[in-house]
């Protein structure tokens, strides 16, 4: 059964630092992995989508990597800013499940000014 | 290009009532999925519709139902509301069913339902 885990659940870092958020999944039979951002009380904003055949995707200060063999994905945020404060969720597209996309519980990120 | 639109944004209902939530997907998207988000359980899959047919259903009681119209707009209905149904309900649209290989999901801003 596919499980997606994000550790830590919460993270605080000073403004300007580079940081890495982690996402692990138990079954490598995924067809994609997507990172989302969620602001309090709001919906999810898609940040990056990595297809299973890809190793990484980049968008501005964000870089997401995917290593299916180790069951890991990371989201790298360069030069963090207070506006980056939000909850970051990863979601694995799993062909073997009816619901197809399995979410982690998220990492709540706080950037200290 | 308009995003995914969910209405209403906020709802307060009393136990035992029923509620209908609406989701309009991105133009051209034919797949709509619904999720319930609570602090304790995170995001839980409710169901997915594609071309007016329910393709998949999560592990929720029969009080939760949905439908999709020919213009791809979707509604979900919850009958006999319980306090535990208080949550943020999110819908996501995708070009093809279940996200598929090349396309991810685009989420709406959600409907915050409070049951008192």
């Amino acid at each position: 059964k596919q499980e997606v885990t994000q550790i830590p659940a919460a993270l605080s870092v000073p403004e300007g630092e580079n940081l890495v958020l982690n996402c692990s999944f138990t079954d490598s039979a995924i067809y994609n992995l997507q990172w989302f951002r969620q602001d309090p009380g709001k919906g999810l904003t898609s940040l990056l989508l990595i297809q299973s055949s890809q190793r990484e995707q980049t968008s501005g200060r964000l870089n997401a990597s995917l290593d299916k063999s180790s069951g890991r994905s990371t989201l790298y945020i360069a030069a963090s800013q207070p506006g980056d404060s939000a909850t970051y969720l990863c979601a694995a597209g799993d062909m073997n499940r009816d619901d197809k996309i399995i979410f982690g519980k998220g990492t709540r990120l706080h950037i200290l000014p | 290009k308009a995003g995914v639109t969910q209405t209403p944004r906020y709802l307060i209902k009393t136990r035992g009532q029923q509620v209908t939530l609406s989701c309009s997907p991105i133009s051209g998207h034919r797949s709509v999925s619904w999720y319930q988000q609570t602090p304790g359980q995170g995001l839980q899959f409710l169901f997915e519709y594609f071309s007016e047919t329910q393709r998949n259903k999560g592990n929720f009681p029969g009080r939760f139902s949905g439908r999709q119209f020919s213009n791809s707009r979707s509604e979900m209905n919850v009958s006999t509301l319980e306090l535990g149904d208080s949550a943020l309900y999110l819908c996501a649209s995708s070009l093809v069913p279940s996200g598929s290989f090349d396309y991810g999901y685009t989420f709406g801003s959600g409907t915050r339902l409070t049951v008192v």
Side-chain angles (χ1 to χ4, degrees):
Chain A
K1 176 185 173 184
Q2 178 75 271
E3 293 183 2
V4 178
T5 304
Q6 292 184 251
I7 296 174
L11 181 65
S12 293
V13 299
E15 179 180 3
E17 284 199 3
N18 303 324
L19 61 99
V20 174
L21 304 181
N22 296 300
C23 172
S24 62
F25 45 94
T26 54
D27 188 341
S28 62
I30 63 170
Y31 57 84
N32 62 30
L33 190 132
Q34 195 166 1
W35 282 91
F36 294 90
R37 168 187 172 137
Q38 186 175 32
D39 293 287
K42 301 293 179 61
L44 277 63
T45 300
S46 178
L47 297 173
L48 290 164
L49 170 69
I50 311 175
Q51 298 172 30
S52 62
S53 60
Q54 298 175 322
R55 298 281 294 185
E56 65 179 331
Q57 283 285 340
T58 298
S59 175
R61 294 183 293 109
L62 306 180
N63 175 276
S65 68
L66 175 63
D67 184 345
K68 288 176 58 179
S69 62
S70 66
R72 291 188 60 195
S73 177
T74 61
L75 179 67
Y76 174 83
I77 302 177
S80 58
Q81 303 170 358
D84 295 330
S85 297
T87 297
Y88 291 80
L89 297 101
C90 68
D94 187 329
M95 288 181 281
N96 296 320
R97 286 177 60 119
D98 287 341
D99 50 357
K100 297 299 188 292
I101 179 167
I102 315 303
F103 282 89
K105 293 281 182 70
T107 293
R108 190 170 63 254
L109 176 64
H110 182 50
I111 305 300
L112 305 168
Chain B
K1 176 176 172 181
V4 179
T5 304
Q6 290 190 247
T7 56
R9 289 282 285 121
Y10 303 93
L11 267 177
I12 300 176
K13 290 287 189 179
T14 305
R15 274 181 300 174
Q17 287 186 313
Q18 76 165 20
V19 66
T20 299
L21 312 181
S22 177
C23 172
S24 294
I26 289 174
S27 178
H29 284 195
R30 295 165 63 193
S31 170
V32 174
S33 299
W34 288 89
Y35 290 83
Q36 181 195 66
Q37 187 178 33
T38 58
Q41 299 296 321
L43 275 151
Q44 293 186 284
F45 172 75
L46 282 156
F47 26 65
E48 178 191 18
Y49 287 88
F50 179 77
S51 294
E52 302 178 65
T53 301
Q54 185 181 89
R55 286 179 53 88
N56 298 303
K57 190 178 192 307
N59 189 26
F60 277 82
R63 300 184 297 107
F64 292 81
S65 63
R67 59 178 174 169
Q68 187 179 35
F69 302 95
S70 58
N71 62 357
S72 294
R73 189 178 71 86
S74 177
E75 290 181 345
M76 68 163 280
N77 184 76
V78 187
S79 62
T80 320
L81 284 166
E82 301 177 358
L83 295 178
D85 297 333
S86 295
L88 180 66
Y89 289 88
L90 294 163
C91 84
S93 81
S94 182
L95 192 63
V96 295
S98 306
S100 193
F101 293 92
D102 297 325
Y103 307 97
Y105 287 83
T106 302
F107 279 79
S109 298
T111 295
R112 171 73 64 185
L113 172 64
T114 302
V115 181
V116 297

